[in-house]
Amino acid sequence: MDTAVFRAWIGSAAAVIEANRDHLTQLDAAIGDADHGINLARGFAAVTAALDGADGADGTAGSRPATPGAVLTLTGSTLISTVGGASGPLYGVAFRRAGKALGAAATVDLPLLGEALEAALAGVQQLGAAREGDKTMVDALAPATRAFGKAIGDGAATADALSALAEAAAAGAAATISMQARKGRASYLGPRSVGHEDPGAASTALILTALRDVVAR
Amino acid sequence: MKKLINAPDTVVTDALAGVAAAHPSLVVDVENKVILRAGGPRPGKVGLVSGGGSGHEPLHGGFVGYGMLDAACPGEVFTSPVPDQVLLATRAVSAGAGVLQVVKNYTGDVLNFQMAAELAGDEGIEVASVIVNDDVAVEDSLYTAGRRGVGATVLVEKIAGALAEEDADLTAVAAVAREVNDRSRSFGVALTSCTTPAAGKPTFELGGSEIELGIGIHGEPGRHRGPMRSARELAAVALDAIAADIPLDGELLVMVNGMGGTPLLELYVMYNEVASCIRARGGRIARNLVGNYITSLEMQGFSVTVCGLTDTLTRLWDAPVDTPALRWGR
């Protein structure tokens, strides 16, 4: 997977987030403050512009990133600068850590992508202090990362490993419906948070599914 | 949706342009969304920076000025500001004595301010943070993100701002900010939901005679829902919740705050009930504030904040303040 694949992934993720903007916002209205889709769509629109070489939000001159790692790092930095809320720093750190893990590699194989996913998960958990079962994006990212690692260990082909990643993320997001939130704004609702899908887990599943779909194309 | 806006996307920047036009005592960077005092920081004074989602006006921008904040960073509606904004504000108010961040305890606010504090620290600016978490409606436990920061934020900004104006050092200003937070508790009630401009419809639905008890300030639902009842009964509910946590005796500062869509007439009815309730429990309201200070767009409802005073806190509360939304003694 080369730089073009990673650019295509982030471009596709941006389109999927925009298409699901209202859906994610509705999920957030049920247990949060009704802005998740709006904020992520704004952030990913800025990411798309940044990847095309637009100048940064802070006035720094833009340039098109040349490696997969640089694509993800720029994605993360732009999300931190434009999303706000909890999801800005959390997604920002996830993409930045993943980008750092990829280093200067011109192409990314499955084990290296696995390392990037592990780094992203570690970054999110360190910053947000969430564990699995807390009804957060970790409930999609953690099982997805595990399933991907297992698929690689079993010798799966790229498409199959990415399918395992996407399916585990979607299943993880769906599993948040029955959870009671212990982190973030939804936790204020206590038992009333049960019965609703976590918007952060839902958007994580959308973003990881976009990777599978781009590579399968 | 009926709102006095041009477009949902531009509501925050359009309002900031209005703030700039209305208040020559402020410098507003509309593009980067930072509100500063005109004239810049006074050398040797601790800088006070706060911020949070828009939609809570006058918090925080209305409290920028002499005796209170040096800078405010408004995010999108109900969305915390981004680290870039907070870093810009921190740089702008840094005058050699360090900068205190006043942060309401919401995951997004905490994370974004924390990132900005790290970046400012890398630039050699000493930054301290106080996390405001006064909302008794949320149980502070392993099972929640902790209590929300609500009404006490106004008190923290006023009192810490007064001490900073006396050229106290960063440690002392941070300590008094934490003391005010520790001595304050709040409880809020919503009669209606509110509509963010971008969403275009109410964040939650309430029946015609239903109310939400234990709300925060972002239109998020409260701890439970119940039937509408009298101001007297609602005052008792709020003060019962507060009294379960701090004693309601001694000298108190009490704020009865409107959520944005409550007539002042009703806020005074509430204040009267709150005051008699506190008298009955042996407390004395030494200072009070009645009005819209930390709001939730057009939500109808109120919050009560009680702070146990000391002589020092009373003196700092009485100290001169000159901001768009709070002004006395100068």
Side-chain angles (χ1 to χ4, degrees):
Chain A
M1 290 171 275
D2 60 7
T3 305
V5 169
F6 279 81
R7 294 179 61 89
W9 169 31
I10 300 303
S12 171
V16 169
I17 292 293
E18 177 58 36
N20 284 277
R21 180 180 185 267
D22 293 343
H23 171 62
L24 292 170
T25 295
Q26 278 312 110
L27 292 179
D28 195 23
I31 55 172
D33 60 346
D35 63 5
H36 187 60
I38 295 160
N39 289 342
L40 265 196
R42 182 179 61 245
F44 270 97
V47 166
T48 306
L51 290 180
D52 282 339
D55 290 346
D58 57 355
T60 50
S63 65
R64 290 167 63 92
T67 62
V71 168
L72 297 190
T73 304
L74 180 60
T75 299
S77 303
T78 306
L79 291 176
I80 290 172
S81 295
T82 54
V83 174
S87 45
L90 290 169
Y91 271 121
V93 162
F95 279 105
R96 281 180 58 90
R97 291 285 176 88
K100 212 170 163 188
L102 296 182
T107 61
V108 175
D109 59 12
L110 293 182
L112 186 54
L113 182 57
E115 282 175 40
L117 286 164
E118 295 280 359
L121 175 62
V124 168
Q125 291 198 277
Q126 189 191 347
L127 186 63
R131 291 180 299 194
E132 277 184 80
D134 285 348
K135 197 178 181 100
T136 71
M137 62 190 286
V138 169
D139 291 307
L141 187 54
T145 302
R146 258 198 316 273
F148 187 72
K150 181 172 182 304
I152 299 174
D154 294 346
T158 301
D160 295 334
L162 290 175
S163 285
L165 174 82
E167 281 158 23
T176 62
I177 294 173
S178 60
M179 293 176 189
Q180 177 171 332
R182 290 192 293 241
K183 290 285 171 200
R185 221 167 263 178
S187 70
Y188 305 138
L189 290 171
R192 285 169 79 187
S193 65
V194 174
H196 303 279
E197 186 175 359
D198 178 67
S203 56
T204 295
L206 290 173
I207 291 166
L208 294 178
T209 302
L211 176 59
R212 176 196 66 187
D213 294 349
V214 157
V215 173
R217 241 181 244 158
Chain B
M1 175 177 66
K2 288 192 282 187
K3 284 188 183 289
L4 303 175
I5 62 175
N6 297 312
D9 290 353
T10 62
V11 60
V12 174
T13 45
D14 287 354
L16 284 175
V19 169
H23 301 291
S25 62
L26 302 178
V27 172
V28 183
D29 179 343
V30 174
E31 193 191 345
N32 293 304
K33 297 199 288 246
V34 175
I35 300 175
L36 299 162
R37 293 192 204 181
R42 181 159 51 79
K45 179 188 163 313
V46 169
L48 258 72
V49 175
S50 192
S54 292
H56 308 306
E57 291 70 23
L59 192 87
H60 297 272
F63 299 133
V64 175
Y66 181 87
M68 223 162 158
L69 296 177
D70 294 278
C73 312
E76 293 298 321
V77 173
F78 290 173
T79 299
S80 61
V82 298
D84 310 43
Q85 282 171 271
V86 181
L87 181 60
L88 277 176
T90 303
R91 279 186 199 136
V93 307
S94 168
V99 173
L100 179 69
Q101 301 179 332
V102 179
V103 185
K104 302 191 296 302
N105 190 33
Y106 292 94
T107 308
D109 292 69
V110 171
L111 295 184
N112 283 284
F113 273 88
Q114 188 185 320
M115 289 191 143
E118 282 175 27
L119 294 169
D122 291 348
E123 296 181 6
I125 302 173
E126 193 186 354
V127 177
S129 294
V130 56
I131 308 286
V132 182
N133 59 347
D134 55 312
D135 181 7
V136 295
V138 176
E139 201 181 334
D140 190 8
S141 75
L142 287 173
Y143 306 105
T144 67
R147 288 183 160 168
R148 297 173 286 212
V150 286
T153 314
V154 179
L155 282 43
V156 168
E157 291 176 359
K158 167 67 186 85
I159 289 174
L163 189 62
E165 215 64 67
E166 295 177 356
D167 287 347
D169 65 17
L170 180 59
T171 308
V173 176
V176 83
R178 291 195 186 100
E179 184 186 3
V180 172
N181 178 59
D182 290 346
R183 301 175 74 91
S184 300
R185 296 292 187 278
S186 299
F187 189 88
V189 174
L191 312 187
T192 62
S193 182
C194 57
T195 299
T196 63
K201 52 188 167 191
T203 306
F204 59 90
E205 296 290 344
L206 269 182
S209 58
E210 278 183 325
I211 58 174
E212 283 276 342
L213 298 152
I215 49 147
I217 51 170
H218 299 91
E220 68 266 46
R223 283 296 276 187
H224 46 264
R225 194 162 282 197
M228 186 58 208
R229 59 203 86 170
S230 70
R232 186 163 300 156
E233 290 168 293
L234 288 175
V237 168
L239 289 170
D240 280 346
I242 291 171
D245 229 67
I246 54 163
L248 287 183
D249 52 10
E251 305 254 306
L252 304 172
L253 163 58
V254 173
M255 176 171 79
V256 170
N257 171 64
M259 301 308 295
T262 311
L264 206 46
L265 182 77
E266 294 176 26
L267 287 184
Y268 278 107
V269 171
M270 277 312 308
Y271 181 74
N272 187 44
E273 297 303 337
V274 165
S276 20
C277 216
I278 284 177
R279 263 198 309 275
R281 290 163 192 260
R284 191 180 91 76
I285 303 182
R287 300 290 184 275
N288 72 75
L289 205 54
V290 181
N292 293 287
Y293 294 100
I294 170 168
T295 60
S296 207
L297 295 169
E298 78 280 33
M299 176 182 280
Q300 274 182 272
F302 74 98
S303 64
V304 181
T305 301
V306 177
C307 173
L309 287 168
T310 64
D311 289 348
T312 302
L313 296 185
T314 305
R315 183 180 68 76
L316 292 169
W317 179 256
D318 289 343
V321 60
D322 189 356
T323 71
L326 217 54
R327 186 180 304 133
W328 59 69
R330 190 169 187 249

